Amino acid sequence: MPSDELTACADLVARADPDRLLAVMAAPPALRAVLFPIYAFNVEVSRAPWVTQEPMIAEMRLQWWRDVLDEIRQGRAPRPHEVATPLSGLLDADGAEMLDQLVAARRWDIYRDPFEDAAHFEEYLNRTSGHLMLVAARAAAPVDARAAEVIGQAGYATGLANWFRAIPALEAAGRKPLPDGRGEAVRDLARGGLRRLRDARARRDAVPRAVAPVLYAAWQAGPILRRAAARPGRVADGRVEPSGVGKRAALMLRAATGRW
C-alpha cells in the first residue's frame, strides 16, 4: 500500500504535470514509487518562481529546496515534507548534486533577463530536463557513462520540446525564452533536438532495461520537434502540440514495445 507521502507526490504530479503522469502510469508499478517523488520535486521547483511576483520570495523558495538537497547530500535526514521525505530515500550524493544544479538553473525563471547566448540556453535545458531524466534513471537502476550520455541526449530533446510548448505563456509573462527567436533559428534548434533524439534512440541498447520506462517521458518530443522544424511559426502560435488521441496512442505503443 502506498505511503501518504507517495500518494501526495502522485496527486501533485497529476494536478500539475499530466503528461508526466501518463508516462509514469505507463511504467511498471514498482518504478512509479521512484518516479513520483522525483517528478513531484520537479513540480515544486519549476512552479516556485511563478507563484509570487516578488523575486526575493521566489529565491527563498528555491533556496529552501537547495537546503533540502544539501541535507540529502550530506547524508542527513531532510526536514519533514511530503516530497522531500520520499525523495531523500532515492538520491545519493551525486543525484542530490544534479538536482541542486537543476534548482540553480531555475533561477533564470525568476527574472526577465534573456539567455546570455545559445550555450546558456543549452546549459539550462541540460540542467533542468536532462538532469531530471538522468536522476530518475539513476534512481531506477545503475547507469554507466555510456547510458548516461544517451539519457542526457533524450533529456535535452524532451526539454526542448517542452520549452517550445511553453513559449507562448513565457512570452505573455514578459520573458524572452529563446536566445534567437527568428524562424530559421527556431528551425535549427528543432533540427538539433531531433538529431539528439535520433542519436539517443539509435543507442537505446546502452540503456538498462529497468531504466527504459523512465524515457517514456520523451514520447512527445519527436512529433513536437518535427512540427517546429517544419513550420517554426507554430512555436510562437502555440500550435506544436500533438492531438490528445494521437499522443496517447504513441505512448501506448512505446509502453507496449518498450522502445522509447
Side-chain angles (χ1 to χ4, degrees), residues 67-78:
D67 292 343
V68 166
L69 292 167
D70 187 56
E71 290 165 352
I72 296 173
R73 187 167 42 216
Q74 294 181 34
R76 296 158 47 200

Side-chain angles (χ1 to χ4, degrees), residues 162-204:
N162 288 337
W163 195 253
F164 281 162
R165 296 166 74 190
I167 279 179
L170 289 166
E171 290 182 337
R175 303 304 195 270
K176 298 178 181 178
L178 293 171
D180 186 342
R182 294 174 302 161
E184 56 266 37
V186 172
R187 179 180 287 112
D188 288 346
L189 272 175
R191 288 175 175 173
L194 283 169
R195 283 194 298 271
R196 294 190 190 209
L197 185 61
R198 285 194 296 266
D199 178 65
R201 286 175 171 163
R203 296 187 291 153
R204 61 164 58 91

Side-chain angles (χ1 to χ4, degrees), residues 19 22-23 26 216 219-220 223 242-260:
D19 285 338
L22 291 174
Y216 292 166
W219 101 90
Q220 296 185 85
S243 70
V245 174
K247 71 181 185 181
R248 290 192 182 213
L251 176 59
M252 291 173 64
L253 179 62
R254 299 283 177 195
T257 62
R259 294 175 64 82
W260 49 267

Side-chain angles (χ1 to χ4, degrees), residues 134-149:
L134 183 53
V135 168
R138 293 178 74 253
V143 170
D144 63 19
R146 185 164 169 255
E149 182 180 354

Side-chain angles (χ1 to χ4, degrees), residues 7 34 72 112 142 168-169 188 224 251:
T7 299
V34 173
I72 296 173
R112 297 176 186 268
D188 288 346
I224 290 171
L251 176 59

